[in-house]
Amino acid sequence: MTTSLSDLDTGRISVEAIREAANVLYGVVTRTPLLENIDVNARLGGRLLIKAEHAQRTGAFKIRGAYNRLRFMTLEERRRGTITYSSGNHAQGLALAAQLLKTSALIVMPADVPPAKMESTKALGARVITFNRDDSDSNEVVSRLKEETGRIIVPPSGDVRILAGAGTAALELFQQSQDVDATLDAVLVPCGGGGLTAATAFLMHELSPGTRVFAVEPERFDDTRRSLEAGERVSNPKGQKTICDSIMTPTPNEHTFEINRRLLAGGLTASDDDVRIAMRFAYERFKIVVEPGAAVGIAAILNGQIDITGKTIGLFTTGGNVDPHRYCQLLMSSDELS
Amino acid sequence: MTTSLSDLDTGRISVEAIREAANVLYGVVTRTPLLENIDVNARLGGRLLIKAEHAQRTGAFKIRGAYNRLRFMTLEERRRGTITYSSGNHAQGLALAAQLLKTSALIVMPADVPPAKMESTKALGARVITFNRDDSDSNEVVSRLKEETGRIIVPPSGDVRILAGAGTAALELFQQSQDVDATLDAVLVPCGGGGLTAATAFLMHELSPGTRVFAVEPERFDDTRRSLEAGERVSNPKGQKTICDSIMTPTPNEHTFEINRRLLAGGLTASDDDVRIAMRFAYERFKIVVEPGAAVGIAAILNGQIDITGKTIGLFTTGGNVDPHRYCQLLMSSDELS
């Protein structure tokens, strides 16, 4: 997602904005549980805390940011409605936020997204327009439709109100880890455009400066990791594939990268096979259904990219929107691995 | 499970015994989360609270009772070890408790249990002996082996220390429902031998007398429901089948039924198809993996046997021990239903 997509609020993210968003979101979103498993900890030799945003309303953390953005819309703007580009999770979050706040949502979606995500988005009352990921530029499609309709663009990240909303997930992770007497050595964040990553990096920097925050990306879609190394935003080549549909973004968002560049401890990656193993691990050990893109944090621990020995590591399982057929395919294909 | 299986402690269950067990189990078992979903509540027109014991250590609530029983063993008894009959979940709970408390476990298991349960039991260090559910009487097998080995019988229910351990799950449900400002109108308990059911009925009677507690059983294995109606223990005919392997007990336990007879509000049932729909619902709405026998509570709400409209209903998802192949079969076969 690049900036041309967003009506950016140039304000800076703040702990106060995140706390205010948390108050507004109370009773609107689920306070998802923090999961911990004694036997997993024993096996890993460290403490693993999973912030279960896969069980959030609409099946992903995205509702937090979308709702916190839309609540600032004027009545006139609400009549015009909203528009965004999304591969599915942001779409559903926006669709529900629009429904709750009495406005409308038009979603530009890649034609190859999992059918369940498209259906769920429509079921939440949004209009969906599809385009081909490799042929067209999502920015152009959205910009054209914005001109035609006068709708307000609600980007998946890169808007300070959306970051503040996403930051409420990090705030809960921080509070819930305190509730179980844990001091987070590191937090792993599945990273697409980088909004949740930036919000988490910011919040930990302010409230828990000893906590290192890492972006985790699929192999071949590690634009944030490579951008961190290059010191500037670099893109992924087109035409690559990954099973992690929810975080296959082409380039870091300009504004989230500005935060991530300063505050992240680094970037980690997971292969598709790593992700299959992680999904199976989530099934067997935590009895949770996690979508591929949301399992990269677990994958980065299991594949050894970060050492949990003697440490406490928190991570987000950011989404659970995977339809049963695909889920079972992925679960079964993990049989030959590990 | 009939009484011949158990070295019964004739003491009575008490809130104090449950609270003491909770103290002992602190840090030994997981304080499983209480799950709630705003959209599910809106759809059902009431408040549904799921006590997620499917994510307990060894994948079922059984570790609570087993550990609380074994901690009372003398050193001499621990040298002799333990023995039980179990279709899988109690077996794994006992195996882990035996490991933690430095004794051993011998498990008599029906030959037709899901392979994952047998493997997991062995992986926890227990010895497993199988028998044919329809040909032999599990009591006889266990009694003979007890004579031969001198092991202590640890029944799945019908021992006051095991009930007190199981009651800690009900205590947590009660406390966690208070944390979210909920007053439980009813609690639904998947019911096999009736231990968790009795412990829950007792605890709610003492701490929350306005809460009605129901046993939920598979169709054709509704021995507790029919026993409640008959006023005495009746058995299920042999040779019946259900997908709910974890709660296909032949007869209510004598001692748990004595409690259940006095304190239960009634019995509910779920067909295999109801259970498939409930497992799919758990997957889609809560992103959780629940085994068939643990989904009967959800099933009894979805099939309309209990009306949740305007009410708050708590239930236990008692186990998550279902291997991926079988889980996916069940999930896919729900496609033609609902």
Side-chain angles (χ1 to χ4, degrees), chain A residues 15 198-213 259 262-263:
Chain A
V15 174
T200 303
F202 173 79
L203 190 87
M204 292 298 161
H205 179 261
E206 298 292 310
L207 300 187
S208 180
T211 304
R212 303 170 77 204
V213 177
I259 296 171
R262 290 185 291 114
L263 300 181

Side-chain angles (χ1 to χ4, degrees), chain B residues 35-268:
Chain B
L35 308 177
E36 185 171 15
N37 179 306
I38 295 165
D39 300 296
V40 166
N41 289 351
R43 176 180 150 179
L44 296 176
R47 203 167 169 189
L48 175 62
L49 302 174
I50 296 183
K51 177 64 174 161
E53 284 293 298
H54 65 277
Q56 186 50 266
R57 288 186 85 174
T58 74
F61 74 98
K62 294 285 191 178
I63 178 68
R64 296 175 181 269
Y67 191 96
N68 196 53
R69 168 64 188 88
L70 267 55
R71 73 182 172 101
F72 289 101
M73 290 173 78
T74 64
L75 287 182
E76 191 275 322
E77 288 174 331
R78 287 184 204 199
R79 272 191 295 274
R80 280 151 57 201
T82 64
I83 181 171
T84 198
Y85 161 80
S86 167
S87 64
N89 285 342
H90 176 55
Q92 290 176 70
L94 178 59
L96 178 59
Q99 191 185 92
L100 294 172
L101 291 166
K102 315 288 182 224
T103 180
S104 66
L106 176 61
I107 315 287
V108 177
M109 207 175 246
D112 62 351
V113 303
K117 289 188 175 178
M118 199 174 298
E119 287 316 308
S120 303
T121 305
K122 289 178 185 168
L124 288 164
R127 258 188 68 207
V128 174
I129 292 176
T130 58
F131 80 105
N132 186 317
R133 232 187 257 258
D134 289 330
D135 293 353
S136 326
D137 180 343
S138 59
N139 286 347
E140 282 168 22
V141 181
V142 171
S143 296
R144 178 173 55 75
L145 286 166
K146 173 188 152 72
E147 289 310 311
E148 287 171 24
T149 61
R151 288 175 179 268
I152 307 294
I153 293 179
V154 179
S157 52
D159 175 301
V160 72
R161 295 156 293 194
I162 288 169
L163 289 192
T168 62
L171 182 61
E172 288 179 12
L173 166 60
F174 174 68
Q175 292 167 339
Q176 290 169 314
S177 65
Q178 289 189 313
D179 290 345
V180 294
D181 296 320
T183 303
L184 294 164
D185 293 302
V187 175
L188 312 187
V189 194
C191 183
L196 180 62
T197 308
T200 303
F202 173 78
L203 190 88
M204 293 298 161
H205 179 260
E206 297 293 308
L207 300 188
S208 180
T211 304
R212 303 169 78 206
V213 177
F214 294 85
V216 192
E217 296 169 297
E219 278 182 4
R220 298 184 302 279
F221 289 84
D222 55 342
D223 47 294
T224 290
R225 189 190 67 78
R226 290 185 298 108
S227 298
L228 290 172
E229 287 188 355
E232 59 176 3
R233 294 191 302 139
V234 298
S235 295
N236 300 315
K238 285 216 168 202
Q240 303 286 321
K241 297 282 178 206
T242 169
I243 58 172
C244 300
D245 58 89
S246 56
I247 52 173
M248 51 192 292
T249 37
T251 318
N253 172 279
E254 180 183 345
H255 294 264
T256 60
F257 184 68
E258 194 48 39
I259 296 170
N260 287 332
R261 192 183 55 74
R262 288 185 293 112
L263 300 181
L264 283 189
L268 311 173

